[in-house]
Amino acid sequence: MFVGEPPRVPEDGVPIPELPDAVAPGLSDLELVADIWAADAREARHAAERAQAIAALARRRSIERDRDFGPLGGPGLDSRLRRSPVLAQVSETFVSELALIRGCTEAEAESLAVESILLTTLLVGTWSALYAGEIDVRKMRALVDLLGTAKPAVVAEVEQRVLPHTGRLTVPQLRHRVRRALARLDAEALDRRREKAARRADVTTRPTGDGMSQLLIDLPIHQAAACADAVDQYAQMLRADGDRRPIGVIRASVAADLILRPWDTSRPAVTAQLVVHAPLRSLHEPDRTGATSQPAAEVAGEIVTAAQCRELLRELELLGVGASPAGGSVQVAIGDPVRGRLLAVATRNELRRAAGNRRRRTRRRGSVRTRSQATTSDDSGGGTTPGTGTGTGTGTDTGTGTGLDTGAGLGPPTATAAYRPTPSQNRFVRVRDRHCRMPGCRRRAARCDIDHGVAHADGGPTACWNLCCLCRRHHRIKTFARGWRFDLLDDSRLVVRTPSGVSRATRPPGWCYDPEPDPPWLDEEHPPDQLRC
C-alpha cells in the first residue's frame, strides 16, 4: 500500500491479525500494571481449569484398561521403577494420550498429569487459591513439588500457614518457608522425596540449541560435589602445565576424558554409537563467495550446521566418506530431491555394484579395444540424477557403436513373505524414520522395534511401506491398548488416533523441510502439457 492510498478492505474469510500496539493504546502506568495483574490471574484460573479437566480424564482412564495388555504386554522393569506413584491407578496409556492432546512430549505430559491429580486431590487449598488468582502458576508448582509426598494432614496445615502470605513471597522464599515447615511437621516427607528422586536418577543430554549439548547426571549431593571438585582439580593441573584455554572448556574436556578414558585398554571394549545424517552438499567446502547455501545436517538427532558436521567428520577421519571406523559403518542414503522421500540405502561397495560400468567400444584397424569408465551419481541434497538412482537396464554392443551398462540400480528392499524384516529392510526403515514414529517421541531408531502397519497376521506384507519404527512402549500401545488406532499410509505418514478422538500425524524426516527450487531436469521428466502450445 502506497502513502495516501486508502486502506484496503480485507476479503471475506481472511483473518485480520491483531497488533500489539492496537490492543490497549494510551493506557496509564497504573492501567498497565492492572493489566499485568489481570493477565496473571487469568493464567492462574486457566491452569486450575486445565488441571481439573486433566484429572477428570485421568479418572476415566483407570488402571483396569491395562488388563488388555495381558501378562506379556506389560511395561518393562525400568518403566515400572520410574513410574510416579501418583499415577498408580491410571492407565499407562494416559500419558501418551495426553501428550498427543496437547502436542507436547511425554515427559511434559507426565509432569502435568501428576501435577493435576495432586492439585485436585491432595492440595485442594492450593487449587482453590490458583483458581481465585491468589497465587500464580510458578508458586503453585513449587507447592506441588514440595508437598506432593507429604501426609494430607501436614499438607493442610502447611497450606493454612503459607497460602495467606504467598502474595509477598518470591518463589525461592516460598520454597524455603515450605521446607522449614516440612522439616518441623513431617521430616519423613523430605526423605521420601529424596528417595523418589534417587529412583528416577539417570544420565541424559539436553541440547542447548547452539550446536552444543549438556550432559546431566543425577547424583546425591555429596557425590556430585566430589565429582565436580575432582574435575576442577584435574583442570587446574592442566592450566598449571600451560593449557591456555578457558578453564570451563578445560573442565568439560577433562570430564569427557574421564568418562570415555581413551587411554585405558584394560576395561572391556565399548563402542559409542554416534549417528550422523548429512547431505552430500554439506560435506563440501562452500565457495568463497558464499552465494550457495548449504543444507544442515543431523548429529545424534540434533540439527547442526554444515561446517560443524564437517568438523566432526574430519575429527573422525570420515570427511571423505572413506573407510568405516572400527565397529561402525558408512551408509549412503539416496533421496528424492523433490519429495524428500528416501529411495535407497547402500554402502560404498553396493553403490559401485549398482552403478555398473560405462563401456565404450571403438573399432580400430579391425580390432576392438574396451575402455571402462565408472558412472557417477549426483546426490546433492539427498537426490539422484535421473537414470542413475533407481533404474535398471542392460547395455547392447554391436561392436561398431557404444553400449551402456547401467548396473542393477538402487531402490527400496523387496518385500519378504517372512514375518521378520530382512537386514536390508531393517536398515532402510531405521535410516528413513531415524526415531520412533509416535508423534512427539524421539527415542532413537536403534532402540525401536520394526512394526507392521497392518499386522502380518491380518495379511499385512513385510514391505518397507508397511513397516515403521516404534519404541517398545508405543508398540505395546498400538498392539494392546483399547480405543487406539494407528494407520500407516502409502506415503509413509503415520496417523495416530487416541480414544478421546484426537488425531496426530507424523512423516519420515526426509530432507525437504523447506521448499527447494526444482532441479533443471524436472521439466524433461514430466509428461508434456496438452494444454500448452
Side-chain angles (χ1 to χ4, degrees):
M1 184 173 63
F2 299 97
V3 178
E5 183 180 355
R8 299 175 182 175
V9 178
E11 299 179 0
D12 292 340
V14 178
I16 303 176
E18 291 287 352
L19 300 178
D21 294 338
V23 174
L27 297 183
S28 65
D29 290 356
L30 183 58
E31 290 172 325
L32 292 175
V33 171
D35 280 352
I36 294 174
W37 287 342
D40 287 341
R42 289 195 299 270
E43 180 187 15
R45 171 161 293 191
H46 292 160
E49 292 172 345
R50 182 181 60 190
Q52 185 275 332
I54 291 175
L57 186 60
R59 288 192 294 272
R60 299 183 183 183
R61 303 292 186 264
S62 66
I63 193 66
E64 300 297 327
R65 284 173 165 256
D66 290 353
R67 292 182 178 179
D68 299 340
F69 284 68
L72 300 179
L77 175 63
D78 290 337
S79 297
R80 295 196 302 269
L81 292 177
R82 292 179 59 84
R83 183 172 172 83
S84 172
V86 178
L87 302 176
Q89 299 303 317
V90 180
S91 171
E92 181 195 2
T93 65
F94 175 68
V95 170
S96 297
E97 183 177 1
L98 182 59
L100 291 187
I101 292 173
R102 301 196 66 248
C104 64
T105 65
E106 292 196 1
E108 180 182 347
E110 181 180 358
S111 176
L112 190 58
V114 171
E115 172 187 295
S116 301
I117 294 174
L118 287 175
L119 273 176
T120 56
T121 55
L122 182 64
L123 287 85
V124 179
T126 301
W127 184 91
S128 299
L130 183 70
Y131 186 81
E134 298 172 358
I135 61 173
D136 58 28
V137 175
R138 296 174 298 111
K139 294 177 182 178
M140 174 271 291
R141 287 181 173 157
L143 291 171
V144 171
D145 180 38
L146 292 173
L147 297 177
T149 57
K151 300 174 182 178
V154 174
V155 171
E157 185 170 352
V158 172
E159 285 181 331
Q160 185 178 4
R161 293 185 180 185
V162 172
L163 286 177
H165 309 287
T166 53
R168 59 182 179 84
L169 297 176
T170 63
V171 174
Q173 290 173 337
L174 176 62
R175 296 181 71 94
H176 182 77
R177 179 168 293 195
V178 172
R179 278 183 174 276
R180 184 177 294 276
L182 280 177
R184 183 174 63 255
L185 298 174
D186 188 6
E188 295 180 356
L190 295 178
D191 293 333
R192 289 192 297 270
R193 187 169 180 270
R194 176 177 54 82
E195 293 172 357
K196 174 184 173 183
R199 288 196 304 269
R200 300 176 66 89
D202 201 354
V203 178
T204 58
T205 58
R206 178 184 298 169
T208 58
D210 50 8
M212 302 289 286
S213 186
Q214 295 176 340
L215 177 67
L216 306 178
I217 306 176
D218 299 319
L219 293 172
I221 293 176
H222 64 282
Q223 288 186 0
C227 290
D229 186 64
V231 168
D232 181 69
Q233 290 189 48
Y234 283 121
Q236 296 295 344
M237 292 179 186
L238 292 175
R239 170 59 64 82
D241 291 339
D243 194 330
R244 306 309 301 169
R245 293 177 296 171
I247 191 63
V249 175
I250 301 176
R251 292 193 191 105
S253 178
V254 167
D257 286 343
L258 289 175
I259 294 175
L260 299 177
R261 301 178 70 86
W263 62 86
D264 188 357
T265 59
S266 61
R267 299 186 301 173
V270 175
T271 301
Q273 294 185 356
L274 180 66
V275 180
V276 179
H277 290 272
L280 289 182
R281 279 190 296 168
S282 300
L283 305 184
H284 299 289
E285 295 289 342
D287 54 10
R288 295 183 178 180
T289 61
T292 304
S293 61
Q294 292 184 299
E298 288 187 13
V299 176
E302 298 298 327
I303 301 298
V304 300
T305 63
Q308 184 177 358
C309 179
R310 288 195 300 271
E311 180 181 346
L312 169 64
L313 294 179
R314 190 178 294 112
E315 181 179 346
L316 297 176
E317 299 180 356
L318 289 174
L319 185 56
V321 195
S324 305
S329 63
V330 175
Q331 300 171 354
V332 179
I334 302 174
D336 187 328
V338 178
R339 295 176 297 173
R341 297 178 63 180
L342 182 66
L343 299 178
V345 180
T347 63
R348 298 173 72 234
N349 290 334
E350 290 171 339
L351 280 176
R352 294 191 188 99
R353 291 194 298 268
N357 292 323
R358 185 182 300 274
R359 299 173 180 173
R360 181 174 299 167
R361 295 188 178 185
T362 58
R363 185 180 299 278
R364 288 188 180 182
R365 297 181 183 179
S367 64
V368 177
R369 184 173 68 177
T370 302
R371 179 174 60 184
S372 299
Q373 177 183 359
T375 60
T376 59
S377 62
D378 180 13
D379 187 14
S380 59
T384 57
T385 301
T388 63
T390 60
T392 61
T394 58
T396 60
D397 187 4
T398 62
T400 58
T402 61
L404 178 62
D405 181 4
T406 60
L410 287 172
T414 58
T416 177
Y419 169 75
R420 294 189 178 278
T422 63
S424 58
Q425 288 177 327
N426 195 313
R427 179 181 65 180
F428 181 91
V429 173
R430 293 187 191 279
V431 171
R432 182 195 66 191
D433 292 349
R434 304 187 199 173
H435 52 74
C436 175
R437 289 289 304 281
M438 181 75 167
C441 185
R442 299 290 297 178
R443 291 180 179 88
R444 60 182 184 267
R447 299 181 59 186
C448 291
D449 299 332
I450 303 296
D451 181 52
H452 290 73
V454 178
H456 188 266
D458 297 334
T462 305
C464 290
W465 63 266
N466 192 42
L467 300 173
C468 71
C469 288
L470 286 178
C471 67
R472 184 60 56 85
R473 175 189 180 92
H474 297 129
H475 191 177
R476 291 188 297 104
I477 290 178
K478 173 183 177 294
T479 305
F480 301 109
R482 187 192 318 170
W484 286 79
R485 183 181 178 89
F486 288 67
D487 293 317
L488 187 59
L489 307 183
D490 293 340
D491 60 357
S492 298
R493 283 184 301 158
L494 178 65
V495 181
V496 181
R497 183 180 178 89
T498 68
S500 52
V502 177
S503 295
R504 304 286 184 186
T506 62
R507 64 176 67 247
W511 285 112
C512 292
Y513 294 104
D514 301 316
E516 295 188 358
D518 293 338
W521 48 263
L522 187 60
D523 291 336
E524 302 173 3
E525 294 296 309
H526 282 183
D529 189 350
Q530 301 296 332
L531 300 180
R532 179 179 296 177
C533 299

